[in-house]
Amino acid sequence: MAPTRGTDSGPVNQLRSNKPGNAVQIIGRSSSLYTRVPLVVAHELGVPYELAPVFDLTTADSAVYGNNPALKIPSLRRAGSVLFGAENVCRALEDLSESRRRIVWPEELRSDLSRNAQELVWHCMAAQVQLVFGTIIGKLDNIYFTKARAGFEGGLRWLDEHCKLALEALPAERDISLFEVTLLCLIEHLEFRGTLPVDPYPSLVAFARTYATRPAAQQTAYRFDPPPEPVATEAR
Ligand SMILES: N[C@@H](CCC(=O)N[C@@H](CS)C(=O)NCC(=O)O)C(=O)O
């Protein structure tokens, strides 16, 4: 379903009723790896939300990040409160949801292999942000990023070798799992930003290609939010 313009700050997803005031606000970006995780979950659960885009990630003004003192996205604003971080936002969306869809959370992963897999997805997500912010935005290249890239590639190699088993180990009675959603968002972000080639990781690519066919994935495909229109000034 095509997003419509929000009241003041961005697109509104209209999965359920879209009465004014009904949608929560997700502060983030359509191009952001961590933001996409709760966006996918919101679509899967049918929770209406309004995206409040953060256009400039270089600013150090916490107000721009919904008053997150860590200067990070995403956050969730609802009922006068702000909640920081992708996983927190996903859990709050489940609380808000009227759907009975079953989400598998990380605490349900029982084996070392499953727990390692989730840990390495989180690690690779953080490494991706480090590389995008440091090397693409900051135009830096030094031992800090060389080591980050090596650990990132090591994590991806491990995930490529073990993702089949990690996916098989997920409880069969589920609609989604945070593991699958975070893995999809990670692999597609590599391709979107071009930080590392994905060809060396055929199992991860195969998973992402399949998971990307879900409507919730297609409705949240990465893109850069169009900057706000400049306010027209009257000629004197
Ligand atoms: N711990 C946070 C990490 C979020 C994060 O790193 N977000 C990235 C965008 S995908 C960000 O805010 N980058 C800006 C920066 O690192 O300064 C979470 O789980 O949501």
Side-chain angles (χ1 to χ4, degrees), residues 39-57:
L39 297 189
V40 172
V41 170
H43 278 266
E44 290 281 355
L45 298 181
V47 177
Y49 67 87
E50 178 184 8
L51 182 71
V54 174
F55 293 104
D56 180 7
L57 285 184

Side-chain angles (χ1 to χ4, degrees), residues 16 22-27 37-49 74-79 81-99 101 103 105-107 176 178:
R16 249 175 19 188
N22 200 26
V24 295
Q25 202 175 49
I26 296 179
I27 301 159
V37 176
L39 297 189
V40 172
V41 170
H43 278 266
E44 290 281 355
L45 298 181
V47 177
Y49 67 87
S75 294
L76 179 77
R77 191 185 283 132
R78 88 285 194 215
S81 166
V82 179
L83 182 66
F84 311 135
E87 186 174 343
N88 270 343
V89 176
C90 291
R91 290 179 191 269
L93 291 170
E94 188 189 42
D95 294 344
L96 289 167
S97 166
E98 288 162 10
S99 120
R101 306 202 78 211
I103 305 182
W105 296 106
E107 59 270 23
I176 56 169
L178 199 64

Side-chain angles (χ1 to χ4, degrees), residues 29 31-35 57 65 70-74 84-87 122 126 129 133 189:
R29 291 154 71 93
S31 54
S32 145
L33 166 53
Y34 281 85
T35 303
L57 285 184
Y65 305 85
L71 312 179
K72 290 280 192 175
I73 51 172
F84 311 135
E87 186 174 343
W122 287 131
V129 171
F133 205 76
H189 206 262

Side-chain angles (χ1 to χ4, degrees), residues 4-200:
T4 59
R5 292 302 296 169
T7 44
D8 54 359
S9 47
V12 171
N13 125 11
Q14 292 188 315
L15 288 165
R16 249 175 19 188
S17 65
N18 187 32
K19 298 188 198 96
N22 200 26
V24 295
Q25 202 175 49
I26 296 179
I27 301 159
R29 291 154 71 93
S30 304
S31 54
S32 145
L33 166 53
Y34 281 85
T35 303
R36 191 177 179 203
V37 176
L39 297 189
V40 172
V41 170
H43 278 266
E44 290 281 355
L45 298 181
V47 177
Y49 67 87
E50 178 184 8
L51 182 71
V54 174
F55 293 104
D56 180 7
L57 285 184
T58 62
T59 178
D61 175 1
S62 66
V64 170
Y65 305 85
N67 292 326
N68 182 345
L71 312 179
K72 290 280 192 175
I73 51 172
S75 294
L76 179 77
R77 191 185 283 132
R78 88 285 194 215
S81 166
V82 179
L83 182 66
F84 311 135
E87 186 174 343
N88 270 343
V89 176
C90 291
R91 290 179 191 269
L93 291 170
E94 188 189 42
D95 294 344
L96 289 167
S97 166
E98 288 162 10
S99 120
R100 303 184 69 82
R101 306 202 78 211
R102 159 114 163 86
I103 305 182
V104 174
W105 296 106
E107 59 270 23
E108 289 185 62
L109 306 177
R110 306 308 307 172
S111 67
D112 285 1
L113 182 133
S114 301
R115 289 171 171 170
N116 282 343
Q118 182 68 70
E119 168 63 18
L120 287 175
V121 173
W122 287 131
H123 172 78
C124 289
M125 289 174 67
Q128 169 74 350
V129 171
Q130 211 178 338
L131 288 195
V132 169
F133 205 76
T135 65
I136 299 180
I137 299 176
K139 304 197 183 333
L140 298 166
D141 192 6
N142 55 45
I143 179 63
Y144 178 73
F145 296 104
T146 304
K147 181 166 182 245
R149 194 176 290 111
F152 192 178
E153 287 168 342
L156 289 169
R157 263 195 313 277
W158 188 98
L159 284 167
D160 193 58
E161 284 160 19
H162 296 86
C163 76
K164 186 170 180 294
L165 287 176
L167 292 165
E168 283 170 3
L170 290 169
E173 324 70 51
R174 71 180 187 280
D175 292 295
I176 56 169
S177 63
L178 199 64
F179 177 66
E180 290 163 297
V181 175
T182 49
L183 187 56
L184 169 81
C185 295
L186 170 66
I187 299 308
E188 289 207 332
H189 206 262
L190 291 183
E191 296 180 291
F192 177 65
R193 281 305 214 157
T195 31
L196 292 180
V198 295
D199 305 348

